[in-house]
Amino acid sequence: MAESHTLPEGGLLIVTLPDQGAVGPLRSHYFDPRAAQGKIRDALVKWFKIWGIALSGSTKNPTWLERHTTEVVWCDSIPAELHGPQTVKHFIQTGEKVAQVIEETRPKVILVLSAYLYEAMASDALAPRISAVIGKALYPPRRITTMRLKALEQRFEHAQILVLPTPSKNTTEEYVRSLSASVREAFERAGFDLNATGDGLIDAARSLLVLDEKRTLEILQAQLRIDSKRAQGLIDTLEEKGIISPADHRGLRFFKR
C-alpha cells in the first residue's frame, strides 16, 4: 500500500498476508504494469481475466476499478513458530492497520485472501470497528465453490466480503474459474463496471467453449452470470473474430480451442 497516496473510496479493498502483497510504491494505480506490486497483484491480473473482468493495462487511462482498488498487507510478519490456525490470534493483535484502511476507504467489496485473516476480522476485537463501516451481516458466510479449497462470500448492509485462498499452486485455473459467477455477482451488485475497456467477457468466453453450442450457451450463462441474449452475442462475436467457425448448412459450428 502506498502511504503517500490518498486511498480511493468506495471501491475494492484487497487484504493480504504478510510477505505476499505489495513490495513497492504505487505509480498510478494498483494494477499499473510498471509497478512491482508483488505476487498477489500479478495473480489477480490472471484471475480477473479468467473471471471476464476487464483491466486496461494502461498507466494513463485505467478503468474505474483499477483506480479504485487498494491493497493492504495485514502485518509486517508472522512469528516463525506460528502455523495455520495458530496465526489467528496474532492477526487479531495486529489488525489495527486493516481496520484503519477500511475506515478510510469504505470499500464496497473486500477481497480477503486468507480464511485466517477473515477469522481475525470477525473477532470480538476487530468486528465492531469493521461493522461500523460496512454494517451488519445480512446472512452467515456461504461457500461459493464445490471444489476442495474453501471460498466464501458474505453480504453486509454496505459492503460485501469475498474470502478466497491466497494464490498458490493449488489455486488452479479450474479452481479460479469455479469462482467466476459469485465474484462477478458481488462486483456487479457493488456497481462496478466490469467491461469498462470493451468486452472483458471475450477471453473468458473463449476458455469456456465446448463442442456443443447449446451446452456452451448454458455454461456461459452459468459461469459468467449473463442472460441468454448476452451469451448468444458472445458466440456471435467469437465467430466474427474467427475463434469459432460460422454455422454450416446444418446449423453446426466448429469450436476452436
Side-chain angles (χ1 to χ4, degrees):
M1 185 182 64
E3 300 297 338
S4 60
H5 283 64
T6 300
L7 298 179
E9 293 186 20
L12 171 66
L13 177 64
I14 302 164
V15 183
T16 68
L17 291 164
D19 300 322
Q20 297 193 17
V23 294
L26 290 175
R27 300 186 67 170
S28 64
H29 60 84
Y30 178 69
F31 290 104
D32 186 336
R34 300 173 302 174
Q37 283 300 99
K39 63 175 286 186
I40 298 298
R41 192 281 305 268
D42 294 344
L44 287 178
V45 170
K46 298 176 182 176
W47 290 14
F48 274 47
K49 184 176 182 180
I50 292 172
W51 294 333
I53 298 174
L55 295 175
S56 70
S58 170
T59 59
K60 295 183 178 180
N61 297 296
T63 66
W64 184 93
L65 185 56
E66 286 171 317
R67 288 186 287 106
H68 288 78
T69 295
T70 302
E71 181 191 273
V72 57
V73 180
W74 189 281
C75 57
D76 294 334
S77 62
I78 304 172
E81 67 272 14
L82 298 181
H83 303 281
Q86 299 171 343
T87 61
V88 175
K89 184 176 180 180
H90 174 71
F91 292 142
I92 293 173
Q93 296 170 342
T94 56
E96 173 66 21
K97 178 171 65 172
V98 174
Q100 286 183 349
V101 171
I102 290 174
E103 290 169 346
E104 183 176 349
T105 62
R106 309 187 75 82
K108 293 295 185 184
V109 177
I110 304 175
L111 179 58
V112 185
L113 293 176
S114 165
Y116 299 135
L117 297 181
Y118 172 75
E119 288 185 41
M121 291 173 65
S123 68
D124 291 340
L126 294 176
R129 285 186 63 181
I130 295 172
S131 295
V133 177
I134 67 175
K136 297 178 182 178
L138 301 181
Y139 50 73
R142 303 190 295 200
R143 292 197 66 151
I144 58 175
T145 179
T146 57
M147 300 184 73
R148 183 180 64 82
L149 281 180
K150 185 184 293 186
L152 307 169
E153 66 90 14
Q154 188 173 20
R155 288 181 63 187
F156 293 77
E157 291 176 303
H158 310 303
Q160 298 165 87
I161 292 181
L162 294 168
V163 185
L164 309 185
T166 196
S168 71
K169 65 179 181 181
N170 295 318
T171 51
T172 62
E173 184 172 320
E174 180 185 11
Y175 174 80
V176 174
R177 184 170 290 113
S178 76
L179 309 174
S180 297
S182 295
V183 172
R184 288 182 60 86
E185 181 179 26
F187 280 29
E188 289 176 341
R189 189 184 293 119
F192 297 168
D193 183 356
L194 305 189
N195 301 305
T197 62
D199 202 332
L201 294 178
I202 293 297
D203 285 335
R206 181 175 184 173
S207 69
L208 295 171
L209 293 178
V210 297
L211 184 60
D212 180 77
E213 182 173 350
K214 180 180 179 182
R215 179 60 183 145
T216 294
L217 289 169
E218 293 171 349
I219 291 172
L220 293 180
Q221 291 176 72
Q223 292 290 328
L224 301 178
R225 295 197 68 82
I226 56 178
D227 60 25
S228 59
K229 183 177 180 180
R230 187 74 185 280
Q232 185 61 59
L234 284 173
I235 293 289
D236 295 340
T237 300
L238 291 168
E239 179 184 314
E240 292 171 5
K241 290 178 176 290
I243 295 170
I244 59 176
S245 68
D248 63 16
H249 67 281
R250 297 165 295 170
L252 301 176
R253 301 177 194 255
F254 179 70
F255 282 56
K256 303 174 185 177
R257 296 296 292 183

